[in-house]
Coordinates of all heavy atoms in Angstrom, one line a residue:
T84 N 67.2 8.7 -46.5 CA 66.6 7.5 -45.9 C 67.2 7.1 -44.5 O 66.8 6.2 -43.9 CB 66.6 6.3 -46.8 OG1 67.9 5.8 -47.2 CG2 65.7 6.7 -48.1
K85 N 68.4 7.6 -44.3 CA 69.3 7.1 -43.2 C 68.9 7.6 -41.8 O 68.8 8.8 -41.7 CB 70.8 7.4 -43.5 CG 71.7 6.7 -42.5 CD 73.1 6.9 -43.1 CE 74.1 6.1 -42.2 NZ 74.1 4.7 -42.3
M86 N 68.8 6.7 -40.9 CA 68.5 7.2 -39.4 C 69.8 6.3 -38.7 O 70.0 5.3 -38.7 CB 67.2 6.5 -39.0 CG 66.1 7.2 -39.7 SD 65.8 8.9 -39.6 CE 65.1 8.9 -37.9
T87 N 70.5 7.3 -38.0 CA 71.7 6.8 -37.3 C 71.7 6.9 -35.8 O 71.1 7.8 -35.2 CB 73.0 7.5 -37.8 OG1 73.1 7.4 -39.3 CG2 74.3 6.9 -37.3
S88 N 72.2 5.9 -35.1 CA 72.3 5.8 -33.7 C 70.9 6.2 -33.0 O 70.9 7.1 -32.1 CB 73.4 6.6 -33.2 OG 74.7 6.2 -33.7
Q89 N 69.9 5.5 -33.4 CA 68.5 5.8 -32.8 C 68.3 5.0 -31.6 O 68.3 3.7 -31.7 CB 67.4 5.6 -33.9 CG 67.6 6.5 -35.0 CD 67.3 7.9 -34.8 OE1 66.4 8.4 -34.2 NE2 68.3 8.8 -35.0
L90 N 67.7 5.6 -30.6 CA 67.4 4.9 -29.3 C 66.0 4.4 -29.6 O 65.2 4.9 -30.4 CB 67.4 5.8 -28.0 CG 68.8 6.1 -27.5 CD1 68.7 7.3 -26.7 CD2 69.6 5.0 -26.9
K91 N 65.6 3.4 -28.8 CA 64.3 2.8 -28.9 C 63.2 3.9 -28.8 O 62.3 3.9 -29.5 CB 64.1 1.6 -28.0 CG 62.9 0.9 -28.2 CD 62.7 -0.5 -27.3 CE 61.5 -1.2 -27.7 NZ 61.5 -2.5 -26.8
S92 N 63.4 4.6 -27.7 CA 62.4 5.8 -27.5 C 62.3 6.7 -28.6 O 61.2 7.2 -28.9 CB 62.8 6.6 -26.2 OG 64.1 7.0 -26.3
S93 N 63.3 7.0 -29.2 CA 63.3 7.8 -30.5 C 62.6 7.4 -31.6 O 61.6 7.9 -32.3 CB 64.7 8.1 -30.8 OG 64.9 9.4 -31.1
V94 N 62.7 6.0 -31.9 CA 62.0 5.3 -33.0 C 60.5 5.3 -32.6 O 59.7 5.4 -33.4 CB 62.6 3.9 -33.1 CG1 61.9 3.1 -34.2 CG2 64.1 3.8 -33.5
Q95 N 60.2 4.9 -31.4 CA 58.8 4.9 -30.9 C 58.1 6.2 -31.2 O 57.0 6.3 -31.7 CB 58.7 4.5 -29.5 CG 58.9 3.1 -29.1 CD 59.0 2.8 -27.7 OE1 59.5 3.6 -26.9 NE2 58.5 1.6 -27.3
S96 N 58.7 7.3 -30.8 CA 58.1 8.6 -30.9 C 58.1 9.2 -32.3 O 57.1 9.9 -32.8 CB 58.7 9.7 -30.1 OG 60.1 9.9 -30.4
N97 N 59.1 8.7 -33.2 CA 59.2 9.3 -34.6 C 58.5 8.3 -35.6 O 57.9 8.9 -36.6 CB 60.6 9.5 -35.0 CG 61.3 10.5 -34.2 OD1 60.7 11.7 -34.0 ND2 62.5 10.4 -34.0
L98 N 58.3 7.1 -35.4 CA 57.7 6.2 -36.2 C 56.6 5.5 -35.6 O 55.4 5.8 -35.8 CB 58.7 5.2 -36.8 CG 59.8 5.8 -37.8 CD1 60.9 4.8 -38.2 CD2 59.2 6.4 -39.1
S99 N 56.8 4.4 -34.8 CA 55.9 3.6 -34.0 C 56.4 2.8 -33.1 O 57.6 2.3 -33.2 CB 54.8 2.9 -35.0 OG 55.4 1.8 -35.5
E100 N 55.6 2.3 -32.2 CA 56.1 1.2 -31.2 C 56.2 0.0 -32.0 O 57.3 -0.7 -31.6 CB 55.0 1.1 -30.2 CG 55.5 0.2 -29.0 CD 54.5 0.1 -27.9 OE1 53.8 1.1 -27.7 OE2 54.5 -0.9 -27.2
D101 N 55.5 -0.4 -32.9 CA 55.8 -1.7 -33.7 C 57.1 -1.7 -34.5 O 57.9 -2.6 -34.4 CB 54.6 -1.8 -34.8 CG 53.3 -2.2 -34.1 OD1 53.2 -2.7 -33.1 OD2 52.3 -2.0 -34.8
V102 N 57.4 -0.5 -35.1 CA 58.8 -0.4 -35.7 C 59.8 -0.6 -34.7 O 60.9 -1.2 -34.9 CB 58.9 1.0 -36.5 CG1 60.4 1.1 -37.0 CG2 57.8 1.1 -37.5
A103 N 59.8 0.2 -33.5 CA 60.7 0.1 -32.5 C 60.9 -1.4 -31.9 O 62.1 -1.8 -31.8 CB 60.4 1.0 -31.4
K104 N 59.7 -2.0 -31.7 CA 59.9 -3.4 -31.2 C 60.5 -4.4 -32.3 O 61.5 -5.2 -31.9 CB 58.4 -4.1 -31.0 CG 57.8 -3.6 -29.8 CD 56.5 -4.3 -29.7 CE 55.8 -3.7 -28.4 NZ 54.3 -4.3 -28.4
W105 N 60.3 -4.2 -33.6 CA 60.9 -4.9 -34.5 C 62.4 -4.7 -34.7 O 63.2 -5.6 -34.7 CB 60.2 -4.8 -35.9 CG 60.9 -5.5 -37.1 CD1 60.6 -6.9 -37.3 CD2 61.6 -5.1 -38.1 NE1 61.2 -7.2 -38.4 CE2 61.9 -6.3 -38.9 CE3 62.2 -3.8 -38.4 CZ2 62.8 -6.0 -40.1 CZ3 62.9 -3.7 -39.5 CH2 63.3 -4.9 -40.3
L106 N 62.7 -3.4 -34.7 CA 64.2 -3.0 -34.9 C 65.0 -3.5 -33.7 O 66.2 -3.9 -33.8 CB 64.4 -1.5 -35.0 CG 63.9 -0.9 -36.4 CD1 63.9 0.6 -36.3 CD2 64.9 -1.3 -37.5
F107 N 64.5 -3.5 -32.4 CA 65.3 -3.9 -31.2 C 65.1 -5.2 -30.9 O 65.6 -5.7 -29.9 CB 65.0 -2.8 -30.1 CG 65.4 -1.6 -30.3 CD1 64.8 -0.5 -31.1 CD2 66.7 -1.2 -29.8 CE1 65.4 0.7 -31.3 CE2 67.4 0.1 -30.0 CZ 66.7 1.0 -30.8
D108 N 64.4 -6.1 -31.6 CA 64.1 -7.6 -31.3 C 65.4 -8.2 -31.7 O 65.9 -8.0 -32.9 CB 62.8 -8.0 -32.2 CG 62.6 -9.4 -31.8 OD1 63.4 -10.3 -31.4 OD2 61.4 -9.8 -31.9
S109 N 66.0 -9.1 -30.8 CA 67.1 -9.7 -31.1 C 66.9 -10.7 -32.3 O 68.1 -11.1 -32.9 CB 67.7 -10.5 -29.8 OG 66.7 -11.4 -29.5
K110 N 65.9 -11.1 -32.6 CA 65.7 -12.0 -33.7 C 65.6 -11.4 -35.0 O 65.7 -11.9 -36.2 CB 64.3 -12.7 -33.7 CG 64.2 -13.6 -32.4 CD 62.8 -14.0 -32.2 CE 62.7 -14.7 -30.8 NZ 61.3 -14.7 -30.3
T111 N 65.6 -9.9 -35.1 CA 65.6 -9.2 -36.3 C 67.0 -9.1 -36.9 O 67.9 -8.4 -36.1 CB 64.9 -7.8 -36.2 OG1 63.7 -7.9 -35.8 CG2 65.0 -7.1 -37.5
A112 N 67.4 -9.6 -37.9 CA 68.8 -9.6 -38.4 C 69.1 -8.4 -39.1 O 68.2 -7.8 -39.9 CB 69.0 -10.8 -39.3
V113 N 70.3 -8.0 -39.2 CA 70.9 -6.8 -39.9 C 70.5 -7.2 -41.3 O 70.9 -8.3 -41.7 CB 72.2 -6.5 -39.6 CG1 72.8 -5.5 -40.7 CG2 72.5 -5.9 -38.2
G114 N 69.9 -6.2 -42.1 CA 69.5 -6.6 -43.5 C 68.1 -6.9 -43.7 O 67.7 -6.9 -44.9
S115 N 67.5 -7.1 -42.7 CA 66.1 -7.4 -42.7 C 65.2 -6.2 -43.2 O 65.6 -5.0 -42.8 CB 65.6 -7.9 -41.4 OG 66.1 -9.1 -41.0
V116 N 64.2 -6.5 -43.9 CA 63.3 -5.4 -44.4 C 61.9 -5.8 -44.1 O 61.4 -6.9 -44.1 CB 63.4 -5.2 -45.9 CG1 62.4 -4.2 -46.4 CG2 64.8 -4.9 -46.5
K117 N 61.1 -4.7 -43.7 CA 59.8 -5.0 -43.2 C 58.9 -3.7 -43.5 O 59.5 -2.5 -43.4 CB 59.6 -5.3 -41.7 CG 58.1 -5.8 -41.4 CD 58.1 -6.4 -40.1 CE 56.7 -6.8 -39.7 NZ 56.6 -7.4 -38.4
M118 N 57.7 -3.8 -43.9 CA 56.7 -2.7 -44.2 C 55.8 -2.6 -43.0 O 55.4 -3.6 -42.5 CB 56.1 -2.9 -45.4 CG 55.0 -1.7 -45.7 SD 54.2 -1.9 -47.2 CE 52.6 -2.5 -46.5
F119 N 55.7 -1.3 -42.5 CA 54.8 -1.1 -41.4 C 53.6 -0.2 -41.8 O 54.0 0.8 -42.5 CB 55.5 -0.5 -40.2 CG 56.5 -1.5 -39.6 CD1 57.8 -1.5 -40.1 CD2 56.2 -2.2 -38.6 CE1 58.8 -2.3 -39.6 CE2 57.1 -3.1 -38.1 CZ 58.4 -3.2 -38.6

Side-chain angles (χ1 to χ4, degrees):
T84 64
K85 189 168 184 72
M86 301 294 285
T87 306
S88 297
Q89 298 291 304
L90 291 167
K91 188 173 186 179
S92 59
S93 222
V94 176
Q95 286 171 324
S96 64
N97 292 321
L98 292 173
S99 75
E100 189 170 331
D101 289 341
V102 175
K104 282 181 185 177
W105 180 76
L106 284 169
F107 286 86
D108 188 330
S109 60
K110 295 175 194 155
T111 304
V113 169
S115 297
V116 177
K117 187 170 180 178
M118 185 182 90
F119 295 88

